[in-house]
Amino acid sequence: MKLTADLIKNSPTYLNPIKDRELDLSNNHITLIENLGATRDLNDTLNLCSNSIRVLGNFPILTRLRSLYLSSNRIAAIDHRLPAQLPNLVSLVLTSNDIEELKVLEPLRELARLEHLSLYGNPVMTKPHARLWCVWRFPSIRVLNFEKVSQAERAEAKGLFEAENGKPSSLALEILAIEAPSVDNTFEPGEGLDLLDSDDKMNVDRGSSASANAQAITDIKAKIRDEMSQIQAMEEFI
């Protein structure tokens, strides 16, 4: 189901137990966050639990929003623009979603006011040192997966992910490693030869006529386009 202005208008809004104005959009089979400008930034809490949302993002700027509930969706990616869209977010509940890699969580680092975060039930929390990583990477967090973050955990996380010079440790750098190269759509002569096997390289090297060289370059470009398409598809998913 699409998240339309009419759905927003007809969904219940009420004061929740902590006296925040909450808009309830749960259980609507929503697949994409959109059209939330129709809320006119009048809510403290937004409940989008039990839908089918895949990407956390595409919000308008909502300066009033403090709490965002997204349990039991299919979220696997987070838009890097989220902190600018929700600058005052304090609580984010992502329980039971599909986040798999710690690096996917990086946009949350810019949520300066974030204090409560739940990633319980995501595959990412089965990664080694996942809780300590979140404690170190998101220093404003006070409660993680409904458990208070202790000073001992902060010290342990710092020892694990920070080198003596204050820079990220080798383990931290490994987690933060770029998973896919950036895409440059400009073809340079000779570019992509490393993508060919040895037989292809020999065929290119042995080309003696202009037509043979032109055909070899065409083949190389085709292989590069295939590689670039795969990379672009990966980036769009992330």
Side-chain angles (χ1 to χ4, degrees), residues 56-57 59-63 78-89 105-113:
L56 177 54
F59 291 89
I61 296 176
L62 300 175
T63 58
I78 301 174
D79 190 333
H80 68 92
R81 296 168 293 184
L82 185 70
Q85 296 164 354
L86 308 178
N88 296 311
L89 195 66
L105 302 172
E106 280 299 288
L108 305 184
R109 183 170 168 77
E110 302 302 320
L111 289 169
R113 297 175 180 267

Side-chain angles (χ1 to χ4, degrees), residues 120-140:
Y120 184 81
N122 282 264
V124 69
M125 294 312 295
T126 65
K127 297 281 185 180
H129 314 301
R131 179 176 173 88
L132 291 177
W133 173 263
C134 293
V135 169
W136 177 70
R137 201 64 180 157
F138 316 128
S140 64

Side-chain angles (χ1 to χ4, degrees), residues 90-131:
V90 175
S91 297
L92 177 59
V93 178
L94 294 169
T95 303
S96 299
N97 276 280
D98 296 334
I99 298 172
E100 294 188 357
E101 301 296 334
L102 291 167
K103 191 168 183 275
V104 172
L105 302 172
E106 280 299 288
L108 305 184
R109 183 170 168 77
E110 302 302 320
L111 289 169
R113 297 175 180 267
L114 189 64
E115 296 182 358
H116 304 89
L117 174 64
S118 175
L119 297 166
Y120 184 81
N122 282 264
V124 69
M125 294 312 295
T126 65
K127 297 281 185 180
H129 314 301
R131 179 176 173 88

Side-chain angles (χ1 to χ4, degrees), residues 17 24 43 46 65 74 82 106 110 135 137 157 163 194 200 218:
D24 188 353
N43 302 288
L46 180 58
L65 193 69
R74 302 173 66 185
L82 185 70
E106 280 299 288
E110 302 302 320
V135 169
R137 201 64 180 157
D194 58 319
D200 290 331
T218 299

Side-chain angles (χ1 to χ4, degrees), residues 161-218:
F161 297 115
E162 253 183 56
E164 292 183 0
N165 60 5
K167 294 182 179 181
S169 68
S170 58
L171 178 58
L173 291 174
E174 181 180 341
I175 293 172
L176 290 171
I178 297 174
E179 296 172 352
S182 60
V183 177
D184 184 355
N185 291 322
T186 302
F187 176 76
E188 297 292 342
E191 181 181 10
L193 285 173
D194 58 319
L195 301 177
L196 306 179
D197 59 29
S198 58
D199 290 338
D200 290 331
K201 289 180 180 178
M202 290 177 64
N203 289 335
V204 172
D205 291 339
R206 291 173 180 172
S208 56
S209 67
S211 59
N213 286 336
Q215 182 60 48
I217 291 173
T218 299

